[in-house]
Amino acid sequence: MKKVLVWIVGLLFVSNMTVAQQINSIDDFVDQLQELRTLSQKMGKYYILRNLYPTNESYKQKAQETIDKFNQTLILLTEQAPTEELSIELQKLNLTWLYVNKVLQSKYDRMAAAKVLDKLEDLQNEAASISDMAMELTKKELAQIIKKSTEARVMVQRMNLNYIAHKAKIINPAIKDRFEESVQKLQENIKYLENSPLNDESTAMILEMVKGKIKTFGKNISLKSKVSPLTADMVAEGLDQDFVLLTRVYKDRLSNK
């Protein structure tokens, strides 16, 4: 058990490094597409938080870092797409992103934030469609479990964004449905991962960590929770790193099988 924990800590350090400069498989490609989806939700979160807490410079810095990482990842995916069709779809996604990035620079108010939420939802859905196209190129079990692990990460951030938006009283009728759908999909993905025959002691340990953190929100996760937006964000960031780590462990264990 101790050796497994040390190994996990080492992988966590590696997983916090900058965007990889090479896509070597469909698994990597799908992983980075899901990274785009995750980043799209984080951009919305920081758009709200940096305006709610203007004296907190860290939110402004993290907002810019997230935008920069989105740009880097999109360029990487476009340049190293496994097929011309996927490259073309990513170029279309870039056009959507150019508009969304402009919207992110708009003056903040609750109506403007509602538009930001909708455009970021469009962006992550477009990336999800490209991910589904990529999955058609492989039947490997690894690609499927990577997709489930990274999808869970996306849903954590989507849930978190809509929770923060609700607490900030953003005027958007889709917030409730998006939040509840995210919770449902997160739970479905976790159940799939737990039941996978590809698990071992290390992946089971990480999944237990995930479930423990989710309990922070109480027995039922809902918009009525009394958890503060800042606490919710802290838990979401912890879960984010857990799923990054889980994906890395699956890759390291299974890519050579």
Side-chain angles (χ1 to χ4, degrees):
M1 179 72 71
K2 186 175 180 181
K3 288 183 178 179
V4 172
L5 187 58
V6 171
W7 179 57
I8 287 176
V9 171
L11 282 175
L12 182 58
F13 173 77
V14 174
S15 68
N16 281 325
M17 295 173 68
T18 55
V19 177
Q21 294 304 306
Q22 191 69 34
I23 292 177
N24 297 311
S25 64
I26 295 297
D27 314 321
D28 292 340
F29 189 75
V30 170
D31 187 5
Q32 292 303 312
L33 278 166
Q34 299 287 70
E35 177 77 10
L36 287 184
R37 297 181 68 200
T38 300
L39 291 169
S40 73
Q41 303 306 286
K42 287 190 174 187
M43 285 188 284
K45 171 184 73 176
Y46 291 130
Y47 173 80
I48 296 171
L49 290 176
R50 77 174 191 242
N51 284 289
L52 288 181
Y53 305 98
T55 60
N56 190 329
E57 288 295 322
S58 68
Y59 290 134
K60 184 177 180 180
Q61 179 183 346
K62 288 176 181 177
Q64 188 58 52
E65 288 173 353
T66 305
I67 289 172
D68 292 344
K69 191 172 183 182
F70 188 97
N71 279 322
Q72 294 167 15
T73 305
L74 182 53
I75 291 169
L76 175 74
L77 283 163
T78 306
E79 291 179 345
Q80 300 188 26
T83 68
E84 184 177 357
E85 182 182 15
L86 287 169
S87 180
I88 290 171
E89 291 302 314
L90 284 159
Q91 290 172 48
K92 293 178 183 176
L93 179 65
N94 185 56
L95 295 177
T96 303
W97 163 236
L98 291 174
Y99 177 71
V100 172
N101 193 17
K102 183 177 180 180
V103 173
L104 282 167
Q105 310 309 318
S106 62
K107 184 178 179 181
Y108 179 85
D109 59 42
R110 289 192 293 164
M111 291 296 290
K115 183 177 181 180
V116 167
L117 292 181
D118 287 340
K119 295 306 175 184
L120 288 172
E121 183 72 4
D122 292 343
L123 189 67
Q124 71 92 11
N125 281 333
E126 197 171 330
S129 296
I130 300 172
S131 177
D132 290 340
M133 288 175 60
M135 287 294 294
E136 294 176 4
L137 301 176
T138 181
K139 295 181 179 180
K140 286 175 60 179
E141 285 183 301
L142 175 59
Q144 183 63 29
I145 203 164
I146 292 302
K147 189 171 188 295
K148 292 292 184 179
S149 179
T150 52
E151 173 86 6
R153 183 178 173 223
V154 174
M155 290 304 116
V156 166
Q157 292 298 338
R158 187 169 178 250
M159 180 180 77
N160 187 42
L161 169 59
N162 285 283
Y163 185 81
I164 290 173
H166 175 73
K167 295 300 182 183
K169 302 186 185 305
I170 304 304
I171 305 170
N172 188 315
I175 287 174
K176 183 176 183 289
D177 288 343
R178 289 172 186 166
F179 177 85
E180 292 178 350
E181 182 186 49
S182 299
V183 173
Q184 179 184 349
K185 288 186 175 181
L186 172 61
Q187 293 171 338
E188 289 172 355
N189 283 320
I190 290 174
K191 185 174 182 179
Y192 176 94
L193 294 167
E194 283 187 303
N195 293 332
S196 172
L198 301 178
N199 285 319
D200 67 357
E201 184 181 2
S202 55
T203 56
M205 183 186 298
I206 298 168
L207 286 166
E208 282 301 314
M209 290 165 51
V210 164
K211 289 193 296 181
K213 288 176 183 174
I214 289 174
K215 287 180 181 178
T216 302
F217 292 103
K219 186 176 181 180
N220 297 312
I221 305 174
S222 77
L223 292 176
K224 295 180 181 178
S225 171
K226 294 182 180 179
V227 174
S228 73
L230 297 183
T231 299
D233 184 50
M234 181 180 67
V235 175
E237 284 304 300
L239 287 167
D240 188 87
Q241 287 304 307
D242 288 343
F243 281 115
V244 169
L245 177 57
L246 182 64
T247 301
R248 182 60 184 267
V249 172
Y250 281 130
K251 280 188 177 183
D252 284 1
R253 281 191 53 248
L254 304 171
S255 58
N256 295 320
K257 289 190 176 184

